Coordinates of all heavy atoms in Angstrom, one line a residue:
M1 N -234.5 200.6 -30.1 CA -233.7 199.3 -30.1 C -233.4 198.9 -28.6 O -232.4 198.2 -28.6 CB -232.5 199.7 -30.9 CG -232.7 200.0 -32.3 SD -233.9 198.8 -33.3 CE -232.9 197.4 -33.3
D2 N -233.9 199.3 -27.6 CA -233.6 198.9 -26.3 C -234.5 197.8 -25.9 O -234.6 197.3 -24.7 CB -233.7 200.0 -25.2 CG -235.0 200.7 -25.1 OD1 -235.9 200.4 -26.0 OD2 -235.3 201.4 -24.1
R3 N -235.3 197.2 -26.8 CA -236.2 196.0 -26.5 C -236.0 195.0 -27.6 O -236.0 195.3 -28.7 CB -237.6 196.4 -26.4 CG -237.9 197.2 -25.2 CD -239.4 197.7 -25.2 NE -239.7 198.4 -24.0 CZ -239.9 199.6 -23.9 NH1 -239.8 200.3 -25.0 NH2 -240.0 200.3 -22.8
W4 N -235.7 193.7 -27.1 CA -235.5 192.6 -28.1 C -236.9 191.9 -28.0 O -237.2 191.3 -26.8 CB -234.3 191.8 -27.8 CG -233.1 192.5 -28.1 CD1 -232.9 193.7 -28.8 CD2 -231.8 192.0 -28.0 NE1 -231.6 193.9 -28.9 CE2 -230.8 193.0 -28.5 CE3 -231.2 190.8 -27.5 CZ2 -229.6 192.8 -28.4 CZ3 -229.8 190.6 -27.4 CH2 -229.0 191.6 -27.9
T5 N -237.5 191.5 -29.0 CA -238.7 190.5 -29.0 C -238.2 189.2 -29.4 O -237.8 189.0 -30.5 CB -239.8 191.2 -29.8 OG1 -240.0 192.7 -29.4 CG2 -241.0 190.4 -29.7
F6 N -238.7 188.2 -28.7 CA -238.4 186.8 -29.0 C -239.7 186.1 -29.0 O -240.8 186.7 -28.5 CB -237.7 186.1 -27.9 CG -236.2 186.6 -27.8 CD1 -235.9 187.6 -26.8 CD2 -235.2 186.4 -28.8 CE1 -234.6 188.2 -26.8 CE2 -234.0 186.8 -28.6 CZ -233.6 187.8 -27.6
V7 N -239.9 185.0 -29.6 CA -241.0 184.2 -29.6 C -240.6 182.8 -28.6 O -239.7 182.2 -29.1 CB -241.5 183.6 -30.9 CG1 -242.7 182.7 -30.9 CG2 -241.9 185.0 -31.7
D8 N -241.4 182.5 -27.7 CA -241.1 181.4 -26.8 C -242.4 180.6 -26.6 O -243.4 181.1 -26.2 CB -240.7 182.1 -25.5 CG -240.5 180.9 -24.4 OD1 -240.1 179.7 -24.9 OD2 -240.5 181.2 -23.2
N9 N -242.3 179.5 -27.3 CA -243.5 178.5 -27.3 C -244.7 179.2 -28.0 O -245.8 179.0 -27.4 CB -243.8 178.0 -25.9 CG -242.9 177.0 -25.2 OD1 -242.2 176.2 -26.1 ND2 -242.6 177.3 -24.1
G10 N -244.4 180.0 -29.0 CA -245.5 180.7 -29.8 C -245.9 182.0 -29.1 O -246.9 182.6 -29.6
K11 N -245.4 182.4 -28.0 CA -245.9 183.6 -27.2 C -244.7 184.6 -27.3 O -243.6 184.2 -27.2 CB -246.1 183.3 -25.8 CG -247.4 182.3 -25.6 CD -247.6 181.9 -24.2 CE -248.7 181.0 -24.1 NZ -248.9 180.6 -22.7
P12 N -245.1 185.9 -27.6 CA -244.0 186.9 -27.6 C -243.4 187.2 -26.2 O -244.1 187.0 -25.2 CB -244.8 188.2 -28.1 CG -246.2 187.8 -27.9 CD -246.4 186.4 -27.9
L13 N -242.2 187.4 -26.3 CA -241.4 187.7 -24.9 C -240.6 188.9 -25.2 O -239.6 188.8 -26.1 CB -240.5 186.5 -24.6 CG -239.7 186.7 -23.4 CD1 -240.3 186.8 -22.1 CD2 -238.6 185.4 -23.2
E14 N -240.7 189.8 -24.6 CA -240.0 191.2 -24.7 C -238.8 191.3 -23.6 O -239.3 191.1 -22.4 CB -240.9 192.4 -24.8 CG -240.2 193.7 -25.1 CD -241.2 194.8 -25.3 OE1 -241.8 194.9 -26.3 OE2 -241.3 195.5 -24.3
V15 N -237.7 191.5 -24.1 CA -236.7 191.7 -23.2 C -236.0 193.1 -23.2 O -235.7 193.4 -24.4 CB -235.5 190.6 -23.3 CG1 -234.3 190.8 -22.5 CG2 -236.1 189.3 -23.2
R16 N -235.9 193.9 -22.2 CA -235.5 195.2 -22.3 C -233.9 195.2 -22.1 O -233.4 194.4 -21.2 CB -236.2 196.0 -21.1 CG -235.8 197.4 -21.3 CD -236.5 198.3 -20.2 NE -236.1 199.7 -20.5 CZ -237.0 200.7 -20.9 NH1 -238.1 200.3 -21.1 NH2 -236.6 201.8 -21.1
T17 N -233.3 195.7 -22.9 CA -231.7 195.6 -22.9 C -231.2 197.0 -22.5 O -231.7 198.0 -22.9 CB -231.2 195.2 -24.2 OG1 -231.6 196.2 -25.3 CG2 -231.7 193.9 -24.7
P18 N -230.0 196.9 -21.7 CA -229.4 198.2 -21.4 C -228.6 198.7 -22.6 O -227.8 198.0 -23.2 CB -228.5 197.9 -20.4 CG -228.2 196.5 -20.4 CD -229.4 195.8 -21.1
R19 N -229.0 199.9 -23.1 CA -228.4 200.3 -24.4 C -227.3 201.4 -24.1 O -227.7 202.5 -23.6 CB -229.4 200.8 -25.4 CG -228.8 201.3 -26.7 CD -230.0 201.6 -27.6 NE -230.7 202.9 -27.2 CZ -231.6 203.6 -27.8 NH1 -231.8 203.3 -28.9 NH2 -231.9 204.7 -27.4
T20 N -226.1 201.1 -24.5 CA -225.1 202.2 -24.1 C -224.6 202.6 -25.5 O -224.2 203.8 -25.5 CB -223.8 201.6 -23.4 OG1 -223.3 200.4 -24.1 CG2 -224.4 201.2 -22.0
L21 N -224.7 201.9 -26.5 CA -224.3 202.3 -27.9 C -225.4 201.8 -28.9 O -226.0 200.8 -28.8 CB -223.0 201.7 -28.3 CG -221.7 201.9 -27.4 CD1 -220.6 201.2 -27.8 CD2 -221.3 203.4 -27.5
S22 N -225.5 202.7 -29.9 CA -226.4 202.3 -31.0 C -225.8 202.8 -32.3 O -225.3 203.7 -32.4 CB -227.8 203.1 -30.8 OG -228.7 202.7 -31.9
T23 N -226.0 201.8 -33.3 CA -225.4 202.1 -34.7 C -226.1 201.3 -35.7 O -227.0 200.7 -35.4 CB -224.0 201.9 -34.7 OG1 -223.4 202.4 -35.9 CG2 -223.5 200.4 -34.4
N24 N -225.5 201.3 -36.9 CA -226.1 200.3 -37.9 C -225.6 198.9 -37.9 O -224.8 198.7 -37.0 CB -225.8 201.1 -39.3 CG -224.4 200.9 -39.7 OD1 -223.7 200.0 -39.3 ND2 -223.8 202.0 -40.3
S25 N -226.3 198.1 -38.6 CA -226.1 196.7 -38.5 C -224.7 196.2 -38.8 O -224.2 195.4 -38.2 CB -227.0 196.1 -39.5 OG -226.9 194.6 -39.6
E26 N -224.0 196.9 -39.8 CA -222.7 196.5 -40.1 C -221.6 196.8 -38.9 O -220.9 196.0 -38.7 CB -222.2 197.3 -41.4 CG -220.9 196.8 -41.9 CD -220.5 197.5 -43.3 OE1 -221.3 198.0 -43.8 OE2 -219.3 197.5 -43.5
V27 N -221.7 197.9 -38.4 CA -220.8 198.3 -37.2 C -221.2 197.4 -36.1 O -220.3 196.9 -35.5 CB -221.2 199.7 -36.8 CG1 -220.4 200.1 -35.6 CG2 -220.7 200.6 -37.9
I28 N -222.4 197.0 -35.7 CA -222.8 196.1 -34.7 C -222.2 194.8 -34.9 O -221.6 194.1 -34.1 CB -224.4 195.9 -34.4 CG1 -225.0 197.2 -34.1 CG2 -224.7 194.7 -33.7 CD1 -226.5 197.2 -34.0
H29 N -222.2 194.3 -36.2 CA -221.5 193.1 -36.6 C -220.1 193.1 -36.1 O -219.5 192.2 -35.6 CB -221.6 192.8 -38.1 CG -221.4 191.4 -38.5 ND1 -222.0 190.8 -39.6 CD2 -220.5 190.4 -38.0 CE1 -221.5 189.5 -39.8 NE2 -220.7 189.4 -38.8
H30 N -219.4 194.2 -36.5 CA -217.9 194.3 -36.3 C -217.8 194.3 -34.7 O -216.7 193.8 -34.2 CB -217.4 195.5 -36.8 CG -217.2 195.4 -38.3 ND1 -216.2 194.5 -39.0 CD2 -217.9 196.1 -39.4 CE1 -216.4 194.6 -40.2 NE2 -217.4 195.5 -40.5
W31 N -218.7 195.0 -33.9 CA -218.5 195.0 -32.5 C -218.6 193.7 -31.9 O -217.8 193.3 -31.0 CB -219.6 196.0 -31.8 CG -219.3 197.4 -32.1 CD1 -218.2 198.1 -32.5 CD2 -220.3 198.5 -31.9 NE1 -218.4 199.4 -32.5 CE2 -219.6 199.7 -32.1 CE3 -221.5 198.4 -31.6 CZ2 -220.4 200.9 -32.1 CZ3 -222.3 199.6 -31.3 CH2 -221.6 200.9 -31.7
I32 N -219.6 192.8 -32.3 CA -219.7 191.6 -31.7 C -218.7 190.6 -32.1 O -218.1 189.8 -31.2 CB -221.1 191.1 -31.9 CG1 -221.5 190.8 -33.5 CG2 -222.2 191.9 -31.3 CD1 -222.8 190.1 -33.7
L33 N -218.2 190.8 -33.3 CA -217.1 189.9 -33.7 C -215.7 190.3 -32.8 O -215.0 189.4 -32.6 CB -216.6 190.2 -35.1 CG -217.6 189.4 -36.2 CD1 -217.2 189.8 -37.6 CD2 -217.4 187.9 -36.0
A34 N -215.6 191.5 -32.4 CA -214.5 191.9 -31.7 C -214.7 191.7 -30.2 O -213.8 192.0 -29.4 CB -214.3 193.6 -31.8
G35 N -215.8 191.2 -30.0 CA -216.1 190.8 -28.4 C -216.6 191.9 -27.5 O -216.5 191.8 -26.3
H36 N -217.1 193.0 -28.2 CA -217.6 194.1 -27.3 C -219.1 194.0 -26.7 O -219.5 194.8 -26.2 CB -217.5 195.3 -28.1 CG -216.0 195.7 -28.5 ND1 -215.3 195.9 -27.7 CD2 -215.5 195.7 -29.8 CE1 -214.0 196.2 -28.1 NE2 -214.2 196.1 -29.5
G37 N -219.7 192.7 -27.0 CA -221.0 192.7 -26.4 C -221.8 191.7 -27.2 O -221.4 191.0 -28.2
L38 N -223.2 191.7 -27.0 CA -224.1 190.9 -27.6 C -224.8 191.6 -28.7 O -224.9 192.7 -28.6 CB -225.2 190.3 -26.7 CG -224.7 189.6 -25.4 CD1 -225.9 189.2 -24.6 CD2 -223.9 188.4 -25.8
G39 N -225.3 191.0 -29.7 CA -226.1 191.6 -30.7 C -227.1 190.6 -31.3 O -227.0 189.5 -31.2
M40 N -228.2 191.2 -31.8 CA -229.3 190.5 -32.4 C -229.0 190.7 -33.9 O -229.3 191.8 -34.2 CB -230.6 190.8 -31.8 CG -231.8 189.9 -32.4 SD -233.3 190.5 -32.0 CE -233.5 189.8 -30.5
K41 N -228.8 189.7 -34.6 CA -228.7 189.8 -36.0 C -229.5 188.8 -36.8 O -229.8 187.7 -36.2 CB -227.3 189.6 -36.4 CG -226.2 190.5 -35.8 CD -226.1 191.8 -36.4 CE -225.5 191.6 -37.9 NZ -225.8 192.7 -38.7
A42 N -229.7 188.9 -37.9 CA -230.5 187.9 -38.8 C -229.6 186.8 -39.0 O -228.4 186.9 -39.3 CB -230.9 188.5 -40.1
L43 N -230.1 185.5 -39.0 CA -229.3 184.3 -39.1 C -228.5 184.4 -40.5 O -227.3 184.1 -40.6 CB -230.2 183.1 -39.2 CG -229.4 181.8 -39.3 CD1 -228.4 181.6 -38.3 CD2 -230.4 180.6 -39.4
W44 N -229.1 184.8 -41.6 CA -228.6 185.0 -42.9 C -227.3 185.8 -42.9 O -226.3 185.8 -43.6 CB -229.4 185.3 -44.1 CG -230.0 186.7 -43.9 CD1 -231.3 186.9 -43.3 CD2 -229.7 187.9 -44.2 NE1 -231.7 188.1 -43.2 CE2 -230.6 188.9 -43.8 CE3 -228.4 188.5 -44.8 CZ2 -230.5 190.2 -43.9 CZ3 -228.2 189.8 -44.9 CH2 -229.2 190.8 -44.4
N45 N -227.3 186.7 -41.9 CA -226.2 187.8 -41.9 C -224.9 187.3 -41.0 O -223.8 187.8 -41.1 CB -226.7 189.1 -41.2 CG -225.9 190.3 -41.3 OD1 -225.3 190.8 -40.4 ND2 -225.5 190.6 -42.6
V46 N -225.2 186.2 -40.2 CA -224.1 185.8 -39.4 C -223.9 184.2 -39.6 O -223.0 183.7 -38.8 CB -224.3 186.0 -37.9 CG1 -224.4 187.5 -37.7 CG2 -225.6 185.4 -37.5
E47 N -224.6 183.5 -40.5 CA -224.4 182.2 -40.6 C -223.0 181.7 -40.8 O -222.5 180.6 -40.4 CB -225.4 181.5 -41.5 CG -225.3 182.0 -43.0 CD -226.4 181.5 -43.8 OE1 -227.2 180.7 -43.4 OE2 -226.4 181.9 -44.9
G48 N -222.3 182.5 -41.7 CA -220.9 182.1 -41.9 C -219.9 182.3 -40.7 O -219.1 181.4 -40.4
D49 N -220.2 183.3 -39.8 CA -219.5 183.3 -38.6 C -219.9 182.3 -37.6 O -219.0 181.8 -36.9 CB -219.8 184.7 -37.9 CG -219.4 186.0 -38.8 OD1 -218.2 185.9 -39.3 OD2 -220.2 186.9 -39.0
L50 N -221.0 181.8 -37.6 CA -221.4 180.6 -36.7 C -220.9 179.4 -37.2 O -220.3 178.7 -36.5 CB -223.0 180.5 -36.7 CG -223.9 181.8 -36.1 CD1 -225.3 181.5 -36.4 CD2 -223.5 181.7 -34.7
A51 N -220.7 179.2 -38.5 CA -220.2 178.0 -39.1 C -218.7 177.8 -38.7 O -218.3 176.8 -38.7 CB -220.4 177.9 -40.5
T52 N -218.0 179.1 -38.6 CA -216.5 179.0 -38.5 C -216.2 179.3 -37.0 O -215.0 179.5 -36.7 CB -215.8 180.1 -39.3 OG1 -216.5 181.4 -38.9 CG2 -215.9 179.9 -40.7
A53 N -217.3 179.3 -36.1 CA -217.2 179.6 -34.7 C -216.5 181.0 -34.3 O -216.1 181.2 -33.2 CB -216.3 178.4 -34.1
R54 N -216.6 182.0 -35.3 CA -216.3 183.3 -35.0 C -217.3 183.9 -34.1 O -217.0 184.8 -33.2 CB -216.0 184.1 -36.1 CG -214.9 183.7 -36.9 CD -214.7 184.5 -38.2 NE -215.4 185.7 -38.4 CZ -215.0 186.8 -39.2 NH1 -213.8 186.8 -39.8 NH2 -215.7 187.9 -39.1
L55 N -218.6 183.3 -34.2 CA -219.6 183.8 -33.2 C -220.4 182.6 -32.6 O -220.2 181.5 -33.3 CB -220.7 184.7 -34.0 CG -220.2 186.1 -34.3 CD1 -221.4 186.7 -35.2 CD2 -219.9 186.9 -33.2
V56 N -221.0 182.7 -31.5 CA -221.6 181.7 -30.8 C -223.2 182.1 -30.6 O -223.3 183.1 -30.1 CB -220.9 181.2 -29.6 CG1 -221.8 180.3 -28.9 CG2 -219.5 180.9 -29.8
E57 N -224.1 181.3 -30.9 CA -225.4 181.6 -30.7 C -225.7 181.3 -29.3 O -225.5 180.2 -28.7 CB -226.2 180.7 -31.5 CG -227.8 181.1 -31.3 CD -228.7 180.3 -32.4 OE1 -228.2 179.4 -33.0 OE2 -230.0 180.5 -32.4
L58 N -226.2 182.3 -28.5 CA -226.5 182.2 -27.1 C -227.9 182.0 -26.6 O -228.1 181.3 -25.6 CB -226.0 183.5 -26.3 CG -224.4 183.9 -26.5 CD1 -224.3 185.2 -25.8 CD2 -223.7 182.8 -25.9
L59 N -228.7 182.2 -27.5 CA -230.2 182.2 -27.0 C -231.0 181.3 -28.0 O -232.0 181.5 -28.5 CB -230.8 183.5 -27.1 CG -230.3 184.7 -26.2 CD1 -230.8 185.9 -26.2 CD2 -230.5 184.2 -24.6
A60 N -230.4 180.2 -28.3 CA -230.9 179.2 -29.3 C -232.3 178.8 -29.0 O -233.1 178.5 -29.9 CB -230.0 178.0 -29.3
P61 N -232.8 178.5 -27.7 CA -234.1 178.1 -27.7 C -235.1 179.1 -28.0 O -236.4 178.8 -28.2 CB -234.3 177.8 -26.0 CG -232.8 177.9 -25.6 CD -232.0 178.6 -26.3
Y62 N -234.9 180.4 -28.2 CA -235.7 181.4 -28.7 C -235.4 181.8 -30.1 O -234.4 181.7 -30.5 CB -235.5 182.7 -27.6 CG -235.7 182.4 -26.3 CD1 -234.5 182.1 -25.5 CD2 -236.9 182.1 -25.7 CE1 -234.7 181.7 -24.1 CE2 -237.1 181.9 -24.4 CZ -236.0 181.6 -23.6 OH -236.2 181.2 -22.2
R63 N -236.4 182.3 -30.7 CA -236.2 182.9 -32.1 C -236.7 184.3 -32.0 O -237.7 184.6 -31.3 CB -237.0 182.0 -33.2 CG -238.5 182.1 -33.0 CD -239.0 181.3 -34.3 NE -240.5 181.1 -34.1 CZ -241.3 181.9 -34.5 NH1 -240.9 183.1 -34.9 NH2 -242.6 181.8 -34.3
G64 N -236.1 185.1 -32.8 CA -236.5 186.5 -32.8 C -237.7 186.6 -33.6 O -238.2 185.8 -34.3
S65 N -238.4 187.9 -33.3 CA -239.8 187.9 -34.0 C -239.6 188.2 -35.5 O -238.4 188.6 -35.9 CB -240.5 189.2 -33.5 OG -239.6 190.3 -33.5
E66 N -240.5 187.9 -36.3 CA -240.3 188.1 -37.8 C -240.3 189.5 -38.1 O -240.9 190.5 -37.4 CB -241.4 187.3 -38.5 CG -241.4 185.8 -38.3 CD -242.5 185.2 -39.1 OE1 -243.2 185.8 -39.8 OE2 -242.6 183.9 -38.9
I67 N -239.5 189.8 -39.2 CA -239.4 191.3 -39.6 C -239.7 191.3 -41.2 O -239.6 190.2 -41.8 CB -238.2 191.8 -39.3 CG1 -237.0 191.2 -40.1 CG2 -237.7 192.0 -37.9 CD1 -235.8 191.9 -40.2
N68 N -240.2 192.3 -41.6 CA -240.3 192.6 -43.0 C -239.1 193.1 -43.6 O -238.6 194.1 -43.1 CB -241.5 193.5 -43.4 CG -242.8 192.9 -43.0 OD1 -243.0 191.7 -43.2 ND2 -243.7 193.7 -42.4
L69 N -238.6 192.7 -44.7 CA -237.3 193.1 -45.3 C -237.7 193.6 -46.7 O -238.2 192.8 -47.5 CB -236.3 192.0 -45.4 CG -235.0 192.3 -46.1 CD1 -234.2 193.4 -45.3 CD2 -234.1 191.0 -46.1
Y70 N -237.3 194.9 -46.9 CA -237.6 195.4 -48.3 C -236.4 196.0 -48.9 O -235.4 196.3 -48.3 CB -238.5 196.8 -48.0 CG -239.8 196.5 -47.3 CD1 -240.0 196.7 -46.0 CD2 -240.9 196.0 -48.1 CE1 -241.1 196.3 -45.4 CE2 -242.0 195.8 -47.5 CZ -242.1 196.0 -46.0 OH -243.4 195.7 -45.4
V71 N -236.3 195.8 -50.3 CA -235.1 196.1 -51.1 C -235.7 197.2 -52.1 O -236.7 196.9 -52.9 CB -234.6 194.9 -51.7 CG1 -233.4 195.5 -52.7 CG2 -234.2 193.7 -50.9
I72 N -235.1 198.2 -52.2 CA -235.3 199.3 -53.1 C -234.2 199.5 -54.0 O -233.1 199.7 -53.6 CB -235.7 200.6 -52.4 CG1 -237.0 200.3 -51.5 CG2 -236.0 201.6 -53.4 CD1 -237.3 201.5 -50.6
Y73 N -234.3 199.6 -55.4 CA -233.2 199.7 -56.2 C -233.8 200.6 -57.4 O -234.8 200.5 -57.8 CB -232.5 198.4 -56.6 CG -233.4 197.5 -57.2 CD1 -233.5 197.4 -58.7 CD2 -234.2 196.5 -56.6 CE1 -234.4 196.6 -59.3 CE2 -235.0 195.7 -57.0 CZ -235.1 195.6 -58.6 OH -236.0 194.7 -59.1
R74 N -232.8 201.2 -58.1 CA -233.2 202.0 -59.2 C -233.5 201.0 -60.3 O -233.0 200.0 -60.5 CB -232.0 202.7 -59.6 CG -232.0 204.3 -59.2 CD -230.7 204.9 -59.6 NE -230.9 205.0 -61.0 CZ -230.0 206.0 -61.6 NH1 -229.0 206.5 -61.1 NH2 -230.1 206.2 -63.0
T75 N -234.4 201.5 -61.1 CA -234.8 200.6 -62.3 C -233.6 200.5 -63.3 O -232.8 201.4 -63.3 CB -236.1 201.3 -63.1 OG1 -236.4 200.4 -64.1 CG2 -235.7 202.7 -63.6
R76 N -233.6 199.3 -63.9 CA -232.5 199.0 -64.8 C -232.7 199.7 -66.3 O -232.0 199.7 -67.2 CB -232.2 197.6 -65.0 CG -231.8 197.3 -63.7 CD -231.5 195.7 -63.7 NE -231.3 195.3 -62.3 CZ -230.8 194.0 -62.0 NH1 -230.6 193.1 -62.9 NH2 -230.6 193.8 -60.8
T77 N -234.1 199.9 -66.5 CA -234.5 200.7 -67.8 C -234.1 202.2 -67.8 O -234.4 202.7 -66.8 CB -235.9 200.3 -68.2 OG1 -236.8 200.8 -67.1 CG2 -236.1 198.8 -68.3
R78 N -233.9 202.7 -68.8 CA -233.7 204.1 -69.1 C -234.4 204.7 -70.0 O -234.8 204.2 -71.0 CB -232.3 204.3 -69.2 CG -231.3 203.9 -68.1 CD -229.9 204.2 -68.3 NE -229.1 203.7 -67.2 CZ -228.4 204.3 -66.3 NH1 -228.2 205.6 -66.7 NH2 -227.8 203.7 -65.4

């Protein structure tokens, strides 16, 4: 997680980040809300914070690389 990949004019751009702390997505969300640094989060995960100005988008000209998101849940049939 010490490299963030962006897309700039259709070309990948990799930025190496100094990593001092590492944790899960929920804790990172709390850290950035508390002003402890920058974080890369999915838009759907922070759009409410952006709408209320609790967070500010800093790298708007760039977009993060696409990721696959998988959901696994127990079957509802027994």
Side-chain angles (χ1 to χ4, degrees):
M1 298 307 295
D2 63 345
R3 291 184 177 103
W4 289 356
T5 304
F6 298 96
V7 177
D8 181 22
N9 291 322
K11 298 179 185 174
L13 171 67
E14 188 174 274
V15 177
R16 193 175 178 112
T17 60
R19 183 176 69 164
T20 56
L21 298 171
S22 179
T23 188
N24 66 37
S25 180
E26 185 176 340
V27 173
I28 289 172
H29 194 154
H30 290 291
W31 283 348
I32 60 177
L33 283 173
H36 294 297
L38 304 177
M40 180 184 282
K41 303 279 292 170
L43 180 59
W44 58 264
N45 193 239
V46 294
E47 62 189 352
D49 297 313
L50 293 170
T52 59
R54 288 175 25 149
L55 291 178
V56 177
E57 187 176 7
L58 297 176
L59 301 171
Y62 305 98
R63 64 177 175 85
S65 59
E66 293 183 7
I67 63 167
N68 294 321
L69 180 62
Y70 301 94
V71 176
I72 300 172
Y73 57 94
R74 268 180 65 169
T75 181
R76 295 179 194 192
T77 60
R78 295 183 186 235

